[in-house]
Amino acid sequence: MIYNEDLEKNLNICVASKNGRTDDLVKWYDAISKANLCEREEYQKKTELLLLNSLFAHYPDIEIENLTGESPDFIINYKGKQIGIEVSEVINHLELKKKESYINHIFRTVEKLLTEYKSLYGIYHLNIDYTQDDFYQQPEQLIKEISSAITNNKKTKLVKHIRRTPHQRGVLLFLEYRFSLFDELHSDKILEVIEKKNTKYPLYNSKAKECWLVLVSNMHNIASRYSYIHAKEELKKVKSPFTKILHLENLYSQMMVIK
């Protein structure tokens, strides 16, 4: 199921991060909207664009020449060279992917309920125990408690803590990121994505002389989060036809050059 509200939330959080390419990001996002793509293609393209937000912080001279192509996802111009960009999200917790869709649906519902109250505008990070089974069996109660917690700025049975930062474009809800010493991203998961993309490289290379693979851990999604990369040294042994392979995370915009 496609939730366009999730895209708007991700765009807003990228704009709020103020990485220096905000105007360009909004311009490219709007250009995709006007490209007459089908709903699923438009959703996919916007998702891929927003995943690249951290890349623009590290490569501020990048200009996107082709926003709507396929294989590779984008054609960019960087220092006078045409380069293909293939982007992929690294999923760390596959078992949480379906649960995350449920949580996002709840959050978007609450955001709509509170959007008329300008005094409540802000980005809210909520500490909620989403690991308990009954969390997924009482959506109406959850909507009610989250709305109450934000409106009254008080914790409830389900909402343990609220952290708010200023935002002028509405109410945005996120799960608070709780670091765990055991929340590892194993290098094998990164290598699996690289190997999968390697098999499709001839498709990418036919449209650009140079092609980069950009892997992103979307730290705003619980399915992608991690605290550290296990066996990182294994990534140095990677063999790939891609000219450059990067791993990015979009919480602190950290970048690791794999190749």
Side-chain angles (χ1 to χ4, degrees):
M1 188 175 294
I2 294 175
Y3 293 117
N4 290 310
E5 295 90 345
D6 290 345
L7 285 175
E8 291 296 325
K9 176 212 73 172
N10 288 335
L11 176 62
N12 282 328
I13 199 67
C14 287
V15 170
S17 69
K18 299 178 180 179
N19 73 351
R21 298 299 299 270
T22 295
D23 291 343
D24 287 332
L25 188 68
V26 173
K27 177 186 70 176
W28 293 327
Y29 187 93
D30 290 341
I32 294 173
S33 298
K34 299 173 183 175
N36 295 319
L37 301 174
C38 73
E39 184 182 32
R40 185 166 292 279
E41 288 175 334
E42 180 180 336
Y43 182 90
Q44 182 65 25
K45 274 291 154 190
K46 288 179 176 178
T47 298
E48 291 165 350
L49 174 66
L50 296 177
L51 284 174
L52 288 180
N53 185 50
S54 292
L55 181 69
F56 304 137
H58 293 278
Y59 294 91
D61 296 330
I62 282 178
E63 293 294 335
I64 300 181
E65 293 188 348
N66 189 332
L67 280 162
T68 58
E70 289 293 335
S71 302
D73 297 316
F74 302 99
I75 301 294
I76 67 166
N77 188 299
Y78 179 62
K79 294 186 176 180
K81 289 197 299 185
Q82 267 197 339
I83 299 171
I85 297 287
E86 183 67 14
V87 58
S88 184
E89 182 177 357
V90 180
I91 304 300
N92 191 30
H93 307 287
L94 192 60
E95 72 281 1
L96 289 178
K97 192 66 177 173
K98 190 174 292 185
K99 291 182 177 180
E100 186 162 53
S101 296
Y102 170 86
I103 295 170
N104 285 340
H105 179 62
I106 295 294
F107 279 4
R108 302 299 82 79
T109 301
V110 174
E111 288 168 355
K112 286 181 179 179
L113 291 174
L114 301 181
T115 190
E116 62 183 289
Y117 303 103
K118 290 190 175 182
S119 62
L120 297 177
Y121 279 15
I123 299 172
Y124 294 85
H125 293 81
L126 308 179
N127 187 340
I128 300 175
D129 187 359
Y130 52 83
T131 60
Q132 297 185 24
D133 290 338
D134 59 354
F135 177 88
Y136 303 93
Q137 298 169 3
Q138 45 184 336
E140 292 183 0
Q141 178 65 20
L142 186 56
I143 290 169
K144 182 179 179 181
E145 286 207 28
I146 293 175
S147 300
S148 175
I150 292 174
T151 302
N152 299 309
N153 194 30
K154 290 183 179 180
K155 64 181 182 181
T156 66
K157 179 181 177 182
L158 291 173
V159 182
K160 305 299 183 183
H161 184 263
I162 304 172
R163 179 168 60 90
R164 179 184 180 183
T165 56
H167 183 61
Q168 301 303 318
R169 299 182 62 182
V171 174
L172 297 179
L173 304 185
F174 293 89
L175 281 172
E176 181 68 278
Y177 184 64
R178 291 171 291 179
F179 284 102
S180 168
L181 293 176
F182 306 102
D183 192 10
E184 67 178 21
L185 168 59
H186 201 286
S187 60
D188 282 350
K189 293 182 180 178
I190 297 176
L191 291 171
E192 284 174 10
V193 179
I194 294 174
E195 290 169 4
K196 182 179 178 181
K197 293 294 182 179
N198 282 348
T199 63
K200 299 180 180 180
Y201 182 79
L203 296 174
Y204 312 139
N205 192 45
S206 64
K207 298 177 183 177
K209 292 183 179 179
E210 184 173 329
C211 195
W212 297 1
L213 176 59
V214 180
L215 308 175
V216 183
S217 289
N218 186 355
M219 303 292 273
H220 301 305
N221 293 344
I222 59 175
S224 285
R225 291 175 177 176
Y226 71 97
S227 292
Y228 69 99
I229 298 176
H230 178 71
K232 189 186 296 186
E233 63 278 1
E234 294 298 315
L235 297 173
K236 296 179 181 178
K237 305 174 185 177
V238 70
K239 295 182 179 180
S240 175
F242 285 96
T243 308
K244 189 183 292 289
I245 302 176
L246 306 171
H247 176 264
L248 299 160
E249 60 86 10
N250 59 0
L251 191 64
Y252 300 109
S253 294
Q254 292 181 348
M255 181 177 74
M256 175 175 62
V257 178
I258 297 175
K259 179 184 177 185

